[in-house]
Amino acid sequence: MIELQDVHKAFGDKRVLCGVTLTVPKGESMVIIGGSGTGKSVTLKCILGLVTPDAGTITVGGQPVTKGDRDAFLARFGMLFQGAALFDSLTVWQNVAFRLLRGAQKRARAEAREIAIEKLRRVGLKAETADLYPAELSGGMQKRVGLARAIAADPEIIFFDEPTTGLDPIMAGVINDLIREIVVEMGATAITITHDMTSVRAIADDVAMLHDGVIQWTGTVAEMDGCGDPYVEQFINGRADGPIEAVR
Amino acid sequence: MSAAPAPRYLARPLAAIGRPVLAGLASVGRMAIFTLTVISHLIRPPFYPREFAHAIMTIGWYSLPVVGLTALFTGGALALQIYDGSSRFSAEAAVPSIVAIGMARELGPVLGGLMVAARVASSIAAEIGTMKVTEQIDALVTLSTNPIKYLAVPRVLAATLTVPVLVAVGDSIGIMGGWLVGVNRLDFNSAAYLKNTIDFLEAADVASGIAKGAVFGFIIAMMGCFYGMSSGRGAQGVGKATKLAVVASSVLILGSNYLLTEVFFSG
């Protein structure tokens, strides 16, 4: 279980998180929705320790994220970044097997390559893509490679940062289905941040609405449409009028 | 009773001076912390031999043409200049020794260092800066890999070891450039030119240049990594980081060259 309790974070004068409290039960798929610049990515980065919160506590499985062996902590996570964040200088299979080629989870090179190719197959990419470089792939293929890298070491927790941004609707649908399948199949705890409502309905068990630095509403995906929360209703219907200012 | 605040017409110019001074000091502090962090990681595992070997190739091997050409033309021009100057007091025979000493002590390491700074510091800063902007550095962290250890340490180590070799090669090519001009343009006897070079060049001349090369290599890679990792957002941020890496490494090369020359040759 991932728990955030009254988490605050500011960058200079700009207060991004103003008391985020959120619980993600083990094995659930939580989707955090909210407009651009509302602190969704910062929330994920706080959980991972990439950004240090100014106040509040974050625990994963009851353990504070700032204590204990950092490598062992990070080994429990997989993350798909918004732009895939593949390493340009490495081939596709080396990107996927990055964690398996070094550190505590190191395997023999041939074995790591085999696992990478298997994970590439899992996300619908042929073995021939293994020896290409990221620059030779389309945006959708890069996202799939990023997804394969995120699941390569069978993590307990997976984060997806705007997984369908910049993709055409068909490719977005493919990525959404893949994420859902993988999360169910692996039994992983997942947090996805997005403002794509199609993704929300395809991926989420639970939904949380982040606005003005706090969680405005949280509930199951089935409850979302009739929840009566003005923030959620404005957001999911894409209306310009409502409590969320169109110009931020 | 509290003191009255300074009038605005006085405070503004002071603030205009103080702000960049404080920003500069903060930057120097961050640079010092970064340098100490990199040094502390040089001897601590894990090590990344593949990244180190790759850095040796990109920093050392691929810089050979630019360093070689720079040295060749510098050696030739130096021979022409010294011949012209020394002929005013009939000391043309000093051309081979002055070319050799000048190349080994100063021009080989400094010009080689500046050329490598232009080629390598910019490339490291642009590469790491782009990695930062595209979240590849964050991705490294989530994959349990320390970015300083994985990106900075192999590059700093490779540059510190390969730039002295480049300097040694550059010295040889520069001396050869002087010899080519001396024999073909200035009518020196080939054997006499080479004998003169060998007789007057001391091991300390070459060693001091190579030691300078190691320091310059360290500076070049360190500045490339520091400014790359401190890069701002977008293409403009990466561009600024690249520019700062080249400017800072060039200035530090010239400044440290003076200090090293004082250490090696004064008194």
Side-chain angles (χ1 to χ4, degrees):
Chain A
M1 184 157 76
I2 302 169
E3 277 189 293
L4 292 91
Q5 194 65 44
D6 198 26
V7 174
H8 291 253
K9 180 67 193 174
F11 296 98
D13 297 336
K14 188 172 168 55
R15 295 171 70 212
V16 180
L17 304 181
C18 311
V20 169
T21 297
L22 182 68
T23 302
V24 185
K26 191 169 191 285
E28 292 281 299
S29 174
M30 166 70 78
V31 174
I32 303 175
I33 57 172
S36 302
T38 50
K40 303 188 298 294
S41 295
V42 173
T43 305
L44 283 194
K45 287 182 178 179
C46 283
I47 299 171
L48 285 165
L50 295 173
V51 170
T52 310
D54 300 330
T57 55
I58 303 173
T59 58
V60 174
Q63 295 296 312
V65 296
T66 47
K67 296 198 175 140
D69 180 355
R70 183 101 185 108
D71 284 351
F73 170 76
L74 287 168
R76 300 168 67 188
F77 287 85
M79 176 147 181
L80 170 60
F81 285 85
Q82 189 176 344
L86 301 177
F87 306 123
D88 305 318
S89 57
L90 303 180
T91 59
V92 163
W93 84 263
Q94 287 168 336
N95 264 283
V96 174
F98 191 90
R99 206 193 271 279
L100 307 175
L101 288 169
R102 45 188 70 74
Q105 290 165 291
K106 189 172 178 176
R107 315 279 177 94
R109 212 168 162 77
E111 189 190 347
R113 185 183 159 89
E114 220 168 272
I115 294 171
I117 290 174
E118 178 50 37
K119 297 295 178 186
L120 286 170
R121 272 205 203 97
R122 181 68 198 83
V123 298
L125 291 172
K126 290 178 185 165
E128 293 87 83
T129 54
D131 293 313
L132 299 176
Y133 282 89
E136 298 173 273
L137 305 178
S138 68
M141 287 169 91
Q142 288 187 6
K143 277 273 164 79
R144 290 200 216 189
V145 175
L147 188 54
R149 185 174 68 183
I151 61 169
D154 299 322
E156 297 166 41
I157 303 159
I158 315 177
F159 290 168
F160 303 98
D161 185 355
E162 308 208 5
T164 55
T165 300
L167 300 180
D168 66 70
I170 296 167
M171 187 51 69
V174 170
I175 296 286
N176 286 335
D177 292 346
L178 270 173
I179 289 174
R180 186 68 206 172
E181 279 170 32
I182 285 165
V183 168
V184 170
E185 185 181 293
M186 292 173 65
T189 307
I191 301 182
T192 306
I193 56 176
T194 186
H195 27 60
D196 175 358
M197 291 315 297
T198 312
S199 289
V200 177
R201 294 178 208 285
I203 296 169
D205 293 321
D206 299 311
V207 180
M209 169 87 199
L210 180 64
H211 185 72
D212 278 344
V214 292
I215 300 292
Q216 301 284 353
W217 177 85
T218 183
T220 65
V221 69
E223 293 165 345
M224 181 178 67
D225 286 309
C227 70
D229 182 90
Y231 290 94
V232 176
E233 286 199 342
Q234 185 189 354
F235 190 84
I236 64 177
N237 293 310
R239 287 200 307 262
D241 58 317
I244 304 172
E245 288 172 33
V247 180
R248 293 190 290 272
Chain B
M1 204 170 102
S2 60
R8 191 170 279 187
Y9 68 87
L10 272 181
R12 272 193 184 152
L14 286 175
I17 297 166
R19 219 173 284 123
V21 169
L22 287 175
L25 289 173
S27 182
V28 169
R30 281 197 300 274
M31 207 181 280
I33 291 168
F34 181 81
T35 305
L36 290 174
T37 310
V38 172
I39 290 171
S40 76
H41 280 291
L42 282 172
I43 47 167
R44 278 189 288 159
F47 302 110
Y48 297 105
R50 275 175 191 273
E51 282 64 35
F52 174 65
H54 181 71
I56 292 268
M57 289 301 287
T58 53
I59 296 171
W61 182 250
Y62 295 128
S63 294
L64 264 176
V66 72
V67 170
L69 283 171
T70 305
L72 184 72
F73 293 128
T74 305
L78 195 60
L80 287 175
Q81 289 281 18
I82 293 166
Y83 183 84
D84 184 61
S86 58
S87 63
R88 293 173 197 173
F89 42 92
S90 305
E92 295 92 333
V95 170
S97 55
I98 297 178
V99 167
I101 292 168
M103 282 305 302
R105 284 187 178 190
E106 284 297 320
L107 294 172
V110 172
L111 290 181
L114 290 174
M115 293 309 285
V116 177
R119 192 188 161 272
V120 172
S122 58
S123 133
I124 292 175
E127 187 182 353
I128 296 179
T130 306
M131 287 184 77
K132 190 181 175 202
V133 177
T134 56
E135 294 186 303
Q136 291 178 51
I137 304 266
D138 285 345
L140 276 177
V141 177
T142 64
L143 292 163
S144 310
T145 303
N146 183 328
I148 288 185
K149 213 172 240 319
Y150 183 75
L151 296 173
V153 168
R155 285 166 171 80
V156 169
L157 203 55
T160 309
L161 295 175
T162 56
V163 175
V165 178
L166 287 170
V167 166
V169 174
D171 289 349
S172 312
I173 295 174
I175 291 169
M176 196 182 79
W179 169 80
L180 278 172
V181 170
V183 170
N184 295 302
R185 287 271 292 109
L186 308 173
D187 294 330
F188 274 86
N189 175 278
S190 174
Y193 189 102
L194 290 175
K195 187 178 183 313
N196 211 341
T197 299
I198 293 162
D199 286 350
F200 282 93
L201 191 64
E202 293 177 5
D205 300 323
V206 179
S208 69
I210 288 174
K212 284 180 177 180
V215 174
F216 298 164
F218 180 82
I219 289 170
I220 290 163
M222 197 60 81
M223 291 302 102
C225 294
F226 172 74
Y227 283 106
M229 295 234 181
S230 320
S231 169
R233 288 181 179 185
Q236 200 177 22
V238 176
K240 190 178 171 194
T242 308
K243 177 188 75 183
L244 287 172
V246 176
V247 170
S249 52
S250 302
V251 170
L252 285 174
I253 283 172
L254 295 171
S256 62
N257 178 58
Y258 171 75
L259 291 176
L260 290 169
T261 306
E262 279 277 5
V263 170
F264 291 141
F265 300 108
S266 69

